[in-house]
């Protein structure tokens, strides 16, 4: 059954990853858009904390985790987002529903393999000004990641791993201007087709510090990589009903962007199948994400830094009499210095996360629900502050594959 689910969902996500508009943030105009992948739903509910060597959940950040899988694991997640955009003078609201990731993990003795597809970043903004006519600015698209990774268990408490990621996608930005009294408007359409490869390596370690307590740690590093952007710039005249009247100019050229490197380290302590508390730091380089259509003097980039504190609690993992005691209760806090600076203001993201892991009776599979409240940006320096609320749902489905049947 799980194999049929994987095949049908892979086909669906391969279509949706190109079509969905996964953000409403005006900051998605810059760079490669709003980086919205925050990990699998169960980790996202702990502010991104992912340090435990889990045998039934996929850790999509550290490929060393694949070596710890005991069952074939299929992971799928999506998010419903509400966002209130506020400036000094006005406010607007927006809603989005997106698919966040699809991945499969296969245990193979001391080895583990993971592969999947992640819509990594999104562009999605619409701005209109009616002063002296009509000016409209809009953007769509984003960057996707297809990955294949392998983990290897060197010792029962220590594993290593690596994955390769193929980055691909398309971003479109449109500027449309109509002047009062003029029957035709001018449209500038910039299209960037993105492609590139990068690599990620990691390790995971755990050890006992007392009879019940364990120490967990996770370390992974994503190398800086080149992202090739094949750009097309079209200048058009259009009518009010958006029919193209004439193509005034077309220009094609390529530009190499630099995806920043990223170093992540996390550590925690806890009792297996009972509770865990930990912290994680993710440090990123500046990279070079400025493209020709979004190169502005008011925008610059700095090194990024994210701090997370999170954990979970299970009242009684093996309870037969109470379902509520088998639920995993999660929570976390995060502070994310995104690396984007506009008008000399750092764009920071602060959030509170909560979550529930709901076991599916009779199996190791579970449904993970996460809640996130946060604030991104500021109203200072004529900027926009985003107050957002996210509801995330993730499915972690487990099964045994490659088992020879005794009876036909």
């Amino acid at each position: 059954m799980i194999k049929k689910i994987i095949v049908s969902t892979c086909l669906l996500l391969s279509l949706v990853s190109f079509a969905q508009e996964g953000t409403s943030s005006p900051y998605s105009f810059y760079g490669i858009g709003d980086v919205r992948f925050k990990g699998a739903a169960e980790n996202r509910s702990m502010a991104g904390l992912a340090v435990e060597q889990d045998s039934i959940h996929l850790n999509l950040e550290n490929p060393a985790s694949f070596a710890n899988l005991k069952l074939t694991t299929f992971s799928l997640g999506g998010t419903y987002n509400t966002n209130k955009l506020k400036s000094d003078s006005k406010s607007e609201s927006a809603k989005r529903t997106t698919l966040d990731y699809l991945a499969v993990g296969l245990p193979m003795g001391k080895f583990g393999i993971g592969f999947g597809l992640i819509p990594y970043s999104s562009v999605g903004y619409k701005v209109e000004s009616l002063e002296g006519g009509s000016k409209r600015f809009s953007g769509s698209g984003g960057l996707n990641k297809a990955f294949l990774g392998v983990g290897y268990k060197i010792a029962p408490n220590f594993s290593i791993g690596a994955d390769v990621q193929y980055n691909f996608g398309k971003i479109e930005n449109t500027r449309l201007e109509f002047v009062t009294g003029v029957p035709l408007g001018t449209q500038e359409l910039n299209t960037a087709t993105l492609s590139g490869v990068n690599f990620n390596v990691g390790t995971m370690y755990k050890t006992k510090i007392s009879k019940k307590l364990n120490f967990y740690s996770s370390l992974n590093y994503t190398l800086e990589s080149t992202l090739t952007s094949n750009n097309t710039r079209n200048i058009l005249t259009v009518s009010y009903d958006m029919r193209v009247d004439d193509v005034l100019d077309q220009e094609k050229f390529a530009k190499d962007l630099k995806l920043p490197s990223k170093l992540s380290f996390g550590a925690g302590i806890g009792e297996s199948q009972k509770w865990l508390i930990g912290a994680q730091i993710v440090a990123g380089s500046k990279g070079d994400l400025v493209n020709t259509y979004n190169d502005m003097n008011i925008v610059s980039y700095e090194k990024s830094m994210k701090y997370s504190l999170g954990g979970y609690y299970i009242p009684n993992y093996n309870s037969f009499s109470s379902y509520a005691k088998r639920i995993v209760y999660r929570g976390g806090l995060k502070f994310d210095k995104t690396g984007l600076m506009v008008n000399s203001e750092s764009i920071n993201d602060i959030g509170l996360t909560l979550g529930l892991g709901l076991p599916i009776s009779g199996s190791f599979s579970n449904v993970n629900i996460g809640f996130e409240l946060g604030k991104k940006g500021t109203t200072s320096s004529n900027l926009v502050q985003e107050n957002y609320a996210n509801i995330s749902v993730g499915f972690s489905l487990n099964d045994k594959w490659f088992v020879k049947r005794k009876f036909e």
Side-chain angles (χ1 to χ4, degrees):
M1 181 64 182
I2 188 174
K3 297 179 184 179
K4 295 180 181 179
I5 295 174
I6 290 175
V7 172
S8 60
T9 310
C10 283
L11 293 173
L12 173 65
L13 188 59
S14 64
L15 296 175
V16 174
S17 63
F18 293 104
Q20 65 179 345
E21 191 173 285
T23 183
S24 57
S25 172
Y27 297 114
S28 67
F29 171 75
Y30 307 109
I32 57 171
D34 185 22
V35 178
R36 61 184 182 84
F37 177 67
K38 306 294 191 299
E42 52 270 23
N43 303 121
R44 186 171 178 172
S45 298
M46 299 185 290
L49 182 71
V51 299
E52 192 175 25
Q53 296 186 13
D54 201 324
S55 62
I56 60 172
H57 295 99
L58 279 176
N59 178 348
L60 301 178
E61 302 282 0
N62 192 334
S65 66
F66 301 149
N68 302 296
L69 293 173
K70 300 300 183 185
L71 298 170
T72 298
T73 301
F74 169 64
S75 188
L76 168 72
T79 297
Y80 173 73
N81 165 266
T82 62
N83 199 5
K84 184 175 181 180
L85 311 172
K86 182 176 68 173
S87 67
D88 284 332
S89 58
K90 61 189 304 184
S91 64
E92 298 287 345
S93 296
K95 299 176 182 179
R96 296 287 188 275
T97 301
T98 60
L99 283 170
D100 294 337
Y101 58 89
L102 178 149
V104 177
L106 303 174
M108 294 183 174
K110 290 187 176 183
F111 288 91
I113 294 175
F115 59 91
L117 179 64
I118 298 171
Y120 181 72
S121 73
S122 288
V123 175
Y125 63 89
K126 294 178 182 178
V127 180
E128 184 172 7
S129 172
L130 300 177
E131 295 182 7
S134 175
K135 294 181 181 179
R136 304 173 194 169
F137 305 87
S138 62
S140 61
L143 183 69
N144 305 291
K145 286 180 177 287
F147 73 91
L148 172 64
V150 60
Y152 177 69
K153 188 174 284 293
I154 295 177
N157 59 349
F158 181 62
S159 59
I160 60 174
D163 66 32
V164 57
Q165 304 169 0
Y166 175 65
N167 306 302
F168 64 98
K170 180 190 289 186
I171 294 175
E172 290 188 349
N173 290 275
T174 303
R175 174 177 176 173
L176 179 63
E177 183 172 356
F178 287 96
V179 178
T180 303
V182 179
L184 294 176
T186 303
Q187 182 184 63
E188 178 183 346
L189 173 62
N190 289 284
T191 302
T193 302
L194 308 171
S195 62
V197 176
N198 66 331
F199 300 91
N200 180 36
V201 295
T203 66
M204 300 191 79
Y205 175 75
K206 74 172 183 179
T207 186
K208 280 193 169 295
I209 55 178
S210 70
K211 185 177 181 180
K212 290 186 176 182
L213 286 183
N214 296 313
F215 171 79
Y216 304 94
S217 66
S218 172
L219 176 70
N220 67 286
Y221 179 68
T222 303
L223 283 70
E224 184 178 85
S225 61
T226 299
L227 185 68
T228 300
S229 177
N230 291 307
N231 299 335
T232 302
R233 178 175 178 265
N234 289 293
I235 304 297
L236 317 167
T237 55
V238 296
S239 60
Y240 277 96
D241 60 0
M242 298 307 298
R243 286 184 296 178
V244 176
D245 177 72
D246 191 16
V247 178
L248 301 180
D249 186 35
Q250 184 180 77
E251 184 180 6
K252 294 185 177 182
F253 50 92
K255 180 177 175 60
D256 285 341
L257 311 179
K258 290 292 183 183
L259 288 176
S261 62
K262 184 174 68 174
L263 177 65
S264 174
F265 175 73
I269 59 171
E271 182 180 343
S272 180
Q273 299 180 345
K274 185 66 176 179
W275 63 271
L276 170 76
I277 186 169
Q280 189 162 299
I281 299 175
V282 182
S285 65
K286 291 172 61 175
D288 183 7
L289 299 176
V290 178
N291 215 321
T292 52
Y293 58 82
N294 58 17
D295 187 1
M296 305 175 69
N297 292 331
I298 63 170
V299 179
S300 61
Y301 293 86
E302 59 183 346
K303 293 181 179 180
S304 64
M305 186 71 72
K306 180 182 177 182
Y307 304 92
S308 301
L309 177 67
Y312 70 77
Y313 174 71
I314 309 173
N316 187 349
Y317 181 82
N318 295 311
S319 177
F320 291 101
S321 60
S322 174
Y323 181 84
K325 289 183 178 180
R326 291 189 285 123
I327 293 175
V328 185
Y329 300 89
R330 302 184 175 103
L333 296 168
K334 68 171 186 179
F335 175 81
D336 188 358
K337 187 177 180 181
T338 65
L340 175 65
M341 294 186 69
V342 184
N343 287 340
S344 300
E345 292 279 353
S346 295
I347 306 303
N348 299 324
D349 186 350
I350 303 170
L352 165 70
T353 63
L354 298 170
L356 299 172
L358 306 176
I360 298 176
S361 297
S363 72
F364 290 101
S365 301
N366 50 85
V367 179
N368 298 285
I369 302 174
F371 309 92
E372 185 176 9
L373 295 173
K375 182 188 77 169
K376 181 179 179 181
T378 175
T379 56
S380 302
S381 303
N382 296 317
L383 298 181
V384 175
Q385 178 178 304
E386 303 175 21
N387 297 312
Y388 61 84
N390 298 324
I391 300 176
S392 301
V393 179
F395 298 89
S396 184
L397 306 179
N398 305 101
D399 199 359
K400 282 190 175 183
W401 287 12
F402 314 115
V403 178
K404 187 177 180 180
R405 296 181 180 179
K406 294 183 178 180
F407 304 98
E408 295 292 339

